[in-house]
Amino acid sequence: MLEIKNLHVEVGGKEILKGIDLQIGAGEVHAIMGPNGSGKSTLSYVLSGREGYEVTQGSITYKGQDALAMSVDERAAAGIFLAFQYPIEIPGVTTMTFLKTALNAQRKARGEEELDAVKFLKLVREKAKPLNVSDEMLKRPLNVGFSGGEKKRAEILQMSILEPWLAILDETDSGLDIDALKVVSEGVNALRSPERSMLVITHYQRLLDYIVPDKVHVLSRGRIVKTGGKDLALELEKSGYAEYGADEAA
Amino acid sequence: MAAVKETVETVGEVEKYKYGFSTEIESEKAPIGLTEDTVRYISAKKNEPEWMLEWRLEAFRRWKNMEEPTWAKVFYPTMDYQNAYYYSAPKQTAGPESLDEVDPKLLETYEKLGIPLEEQKMLAGVAVDAVFDSVSVVTTFKEKLKEAGVIFCPISEAIRDYPDLVKKYLGSVVPVTDNFFATLNSAVFSDGSFVYIPKGVRCPMELSTYFRINEKQTGQFERTLIIAEEGSYVSYLEGCTAPQRDENQLHAAVVELVTMDDAEIKYSTVQNWYPGDENGKGGIYNFVTKRGDCRGKNSKISWTQVETGSAITWKYPSCILRGDNSRGEFYSIAISNTKQQVDSGTKMIHLGKNTSSRIVSKGISAGGSSNTYRGLVSVHKKAENVRNFTQCDSLLIGDKCSAHTVPYIEAKNPTAILEHEATTSKISDEQLFYCMQRGVPEEEAVALIVNGFCRDVLQQLPMEFAVEAQKLVGISLEGSVG
């Protein structure tokens, strides 16, 4: 599904990622853990193609294609989804309108028929229910005045409607209380399938109690310094990131 | 929702300005330039009564001694008023009695413009008066409106058929000498619409006018007069386009609205005159005076405008809130791109007690354009308990455009409560990235965000207009990013 080779990334002339190698197979869930400032969010942005993140060396191959040659929206239509740590407000655009615009833009890019209003509404209702997203919330402008929990649920709702092949969850647990964390995790777990891969970026082990990964990687100072199974996360919880250079973290 | 999608499809299909075609029709023009003879020529062409000619000539005499205003934040070379045509009409003999008698080429033009002129399409419930260059070509659905007692006809016809009404109201809201452009219009106006809604009548359909300037070097000076008698209601829509030409063309219209006790007029405009090319060559100079007079108690006038075209826009649809408890509203979206200059806003003149007004202005500037909101809220000393709420939001796209907000407030009565809110923002890279990460291509993302920004105003438009307006938002911002 995803193959990252010797990836070096600069932001504003400063090297943040210094040679990342990572392979995620179809159906696998990988977690990236690491102290603040280790380059976790940079990795999520460079995978989704954000401007300002300059790849100086290495490659990203997604489903056999050179992802670096694709624009942000092309990658999205090809199935790369990023659940944002801080979802962005879009004033005046209702959640419903946004979802429909996004879904139909992707379908159009893939040469599929766009969904009409009736089919779309049915789809949204079906996906919104398990995430406790009310009709009222769907009518509000996206993320405007949403609580932390509402924002994250809206992200997972988008993900379940867009049905990506590679989902990147950037600190999805931040700002969530335990109940909201459960709802969000259940939403994510419902999307696990043998064809779908996930990259879960998190600072804390807590999220991984709910979304159990196949592999855990520790990212520090722009490099993956350790890889293990889900138990690695528990170890980190006990010992902290000190031995991986957390002293440098902000 | 679907409109956003359509926006993008339209953006894909349509070249920069899709209304930029011109129609080859033989036309009759007044000799070039402006003299008393021109005024007489126009009046004679219209078979006007003597009193109308006198009215025009008086305006012309006054105009000769007036000077063009210079206070607006717009810049343009001096206009040569003697090197323009003031009257141009598609050549035909008598006025058409039915659609069959209208030049098919004209009908074709309207079809290209997407105006539902044919009767069957009219069943959608919109009556259209189409003004081509200077004359009103056909007014559809006249009969059905007549049954309701509504008069909806070209103003030239009203001058002949309803002289008492016209005499009573013409120039009563915008006086002949109001301003340079209004006075010019008074002298040379050629056609426009006249609407009269009798007491207690709710106009059974939306009324609509479509303006088009076709001839070269022609000014268009239309004159619209709408009177809503006690307890009546009308919703009026106006749309405008013009062909793509290298030279600038002047459009100086006057619109007057009058509401009596408990009456309401809702006036919506989608203005998409040719804006000029990306270097600022050509385009319409739009100098328009629009004013409504809430003459009666509890009456209401609401202006909604979507301004995307014109090289220069100089326009301040206003309300005189004379009747006690009357209400004025102004909802505006003004989009400027490339070298367009917009100086637009409103005036709310509170004269009566308990009068209220609401102003919501959304200015969007892109390219190298300049976009100014200029507004006045004035409270007369006898006007007790006045309320006003003003909200001016500006959105900037790119770093070569500018937005300006110039609100004037004059409160001479201490009981007035006036609120003013203003914001200026940019479409952030984060918003664009977020939308694009969800699969929305960049231009569609801009259209989506801008439509969101304009939502409060778009919601005020009648449904079919709202859809068109949403599309326009996307088209007019084409090429403004990336």
Side-chain angles (χ1 to χ4, degrees), chain A residues 48 50 72-73 76 80-82 84 88-89 91-94 97-98 101-102 105-106 108 114 142-143 155 158, chain B residues 1-2 4-5 8-9 428-431 433-442 444 448-449 451-453 455:
Chain A
S48 45
R50 184 166 193 173
V72 180
D73 51 315
I80 295 179
F81 179 91
L82 171 62
F84 284 60
I88 310 297
E89 295 183 0
V93 178
T94 65
T97 302
F98 186 84
T101 307
Q106 290 202 10
K108 196 174 169 191
E114 294 175 37
L142 183 65
N143 295 325
E155 290 291 290
Q158 292 180 49
Chain B
M1 304 177 199
V4 178
K5 180 196 80 191
V8 170
E9 281 169 2
S428 70
D429 293 344
E430 277 163 349
Q431 283 176 323
F433 172 61
Y434 188 80
C435 294
M436 289 172 72
Q437 208 299 308
R438 298 305 184 243
V440 184
E442 190 169 27
E444 194 181 345
L448 182 72
I449 293 166
N451 270 307
F453 174 76
R455 187 171 178 237

Side-chain angles (χ1 to χ4, degrees), chain A residues 90-135:
Chain A
I90 313 287
V93 178
T94 65
T95 305
M96 193 72 118
T97 302
F98 186 84
L99 284 169
K100 192 173 178 201
T101 307
L103 179 65
N104 280 337
Q106 290 202 10
R107 292 181 71 101
K108 196 174 169 191
R110 292 193 294 258
E112 296 164 14
E113 203 185 324
E114 294 175 37
L115 282 195
D116 62 36
V118 179
K119 282 186 188 148
F120 175 74
L121 199 63
K122 203 178 153 214
L123 177 71
V124 173
R125 291 251 161 85
E126 180 193 314
K127 303 287 187 186
K129 209 176 164 195
L131 289 164
N132 286 335
V133 172
S134 63
D135 279 7

Side-chain angles (χ1 to χ4, degrees), chain A:
Chain A
M1 179 72 70
L2 181 72
E3 190 172 12
I4 302 174
K5 275 189 184 161
N6 190 32
L7 186 69
H8 290 254
V9 176
E10 280 184 10
V11 181
K14 191 181 172 212
E15 190 168 61
I16 306 289
L17 297 183
K18 302 167 182 172
I20 301 275
D21 290 283
L22 180 66
Q23 272 194 40
I24 303 177
E28 293 176 5
V29 174
H30 288 222
I32 299 256
M33 299 185 71
N36 291 328
S38 58
K40 299 193 300 287
S41 287
T42 298
L43 181 61
S44 71
Y45 286 144
V46 80
L47 284 173
S48 45
R50 184 166 193 173
E51 235 175 83
Y53 292 76
E54 200 195 336
V55 177
T56 51
Q57 264 190 74
S59 64
I60 300 173
T61 310
Y62 166 74
K63 288 187 141 197
Q65 280 182 290
D66 176 12
L68 295 175
M70 297 158 78
S71 65
V72 180
D73 51 315
E74 283 168 354
R75 294 187 207 189
I80 295 179
F81 179 91
L82 171 62
F84 284 60
Q85 180 177 6
Y86 304 108
I88 310 297
E89 295 183 0
I90 313 287
V93 178
T94 65
T95 305
M96 193 72 118
T97 302
F98 186 84
L99 284 169
K100 192 173 178 201
T101 307
L103 179 65
N104 280 337
Q106 290 202 10
R107 292 181 71 101
K108 196 174 169 191
R110 292 193 294 258
E112 296 164 14
E113 203 185 324
E114 294 175 37
L115 282 195
D116 62 36
V118 179
K119 282 186 188 148
F120 175 74
L121 199 63
K122 203 178 153 214
L123 177 71
V124 173
R125 291 251 161 85
E126 180 193 314
K127 303 287 187 186
K129 209 176 164 195
L131 289 164
N132 286 335
V133 172
S134 63
D135 279 7
E136 187 270 334
M137 191 171 146
L138 290 168
K139 283 180 195 152
R140 280 155 59 193
L142 183 65
N143 295 325
V144 179
F146 282 20
S147 69
E150 284 175 328
K151 284 185 182 172
K152 295 300 166 78
R153 279 189 280 139
E155 290 291 290
I156 304 306
L157 174 63
Q158 292 180 49
M159 179 167 126
S160 44
I161 284 171
L162 297 172
E163 300 189 308
W165 298 116
L166 174 66
I168 305 157
L169 308 176
D170 189 3
E171 309 253 357
T172 293
D173 50 335
S174 70
L176 292 186
D177 62 30
I178 198 76
D179 293 330
L181 185 64
K182 271 186 192 167
V183 172
V184 165
S185 305
E186 277 166 21
V188 173
N189 285 330
L191 286 163
R192 287 182 81 150
S193 89
E195 294 89 39
R196 184 170 292 127
S197 308
M198 293 187 188
L199 186 60
V200 182
I201 293 170
T202 181
H203 189 85
Y204 301 105
Q205 186 272 336
R206 181 175 81 143
L207 178 67
L208 305 179
D209 284 343
Y210 298 94
I211 305 171
V212 182
D214 300 304
K215 275 188 182 165
V216 175
H217 310 275
V218 179
L219 186 67
S220 176
R221 296 179 193 172
R223 288 189 180 90
I224 290 177
V225 291
K226 193 166 185 180
T227 295
K230 63 183 175 203
D231 298 337
L232 179 56
L234 291 168
E235 267 173 50
L236 282 170
E237 181 76 2
K238 281 194 201 118
S239 56
Y241 291 111
E243 62 175 297
Y244 304 108
D247 48 348
E248 260 194 14

Side-chain angles (χ1 to χ4, degrees), chain B residues 15-185:
Chain B
E15 69 277 34
K16 281 268 181 285
Y17 185 73
K18 78 163 172 172
Y19 304 105
F21 57 87
S22 61
T23 310
E24 291 298 325
I25 292 183
E26 241 193 303
S27 66
E28 238 182 336
K29 279 189 257 186
I32 199 161
L34 182 52
T35 61
E36 267 200 30
D37 287 344
T38 322
V39 177
R40 286 177 194 281
Y41 176 95
I42 295 168
S43 189
K45 274 287 158 200
K46 296 284 173 188
N47 291 320
E48 280 177 358
E50 190 60 28
W51 62 266
M52 195 65 238
L53 175 63
E54 281 309 318
W55 198 84
R56 287 174 179 277
L57 289 172
E58 173 63 19
F60 178 67
R61 285 172 205 131
R62 299 287 198 113
W63 179 76
K64 280 196 293 187
N65 298 318
M66 291 171 89
E67 278 178 25
E68 245 178 276
T70 53
W71 44 262
K73 196 175 167 53
V74 293
F75 303 94
Y76 53 94
T78 313
M79 274 189 263
D80 182 358
Y81 291 91
Q82 296 306 333
N83 189 29
Y85 293 98
Y86 289 84
Y87 180 84
S88 163
K91 208 171 195 173
Q92 53 189 351
T93 38
E97 290 298 317
S98 74
L99 280 177
D100 303 341
E101 292 176 37
V102 176
D103 189 327
K105 275 195 182 151
L106 257 187
L107 292 180
E108 244 172 66
T109 305
Y110 286 128
E111 202 143 297
K112 272 195 226 171
L113 293 168
I115 307 167
L117 205 68
E118 295 151 66
E119 293 280 351
Q120 67 266 31
K121 291 183 190 162
M122 294 284 80
L123 293 173
V126 183
V128 175
D129 182 16
V131 179
F132 195 84
D133 282 332
S134 302
V135 290
S136 203
V137 181
V138 65
T139 307
T140 53
F141 253 139
K142 222 185 247 181
E143 286 308 309
K144 193 173 169 192
L145 289 167
K146 222 176 198 172
E147 277 170 36
V150 172
I151 304 169
F152 178 38
C153 66
I155 198 154
S156 52
E157 213 174 291
I159 289 165
R160 296 191 297 265
D161 298 349
Y162 310 99
D164 294 344
L165 280 174
V166 176
K167 263 191 218 171
K168 186 171 170 192
Y169 291 104
L170 190 72
S172 74
V173 185
V174 178
V176 168
T177 53
D178 189 78
N179 69 72
F180 182 84
F181 296 105
T183 308
L184 175 63
N185 173 288

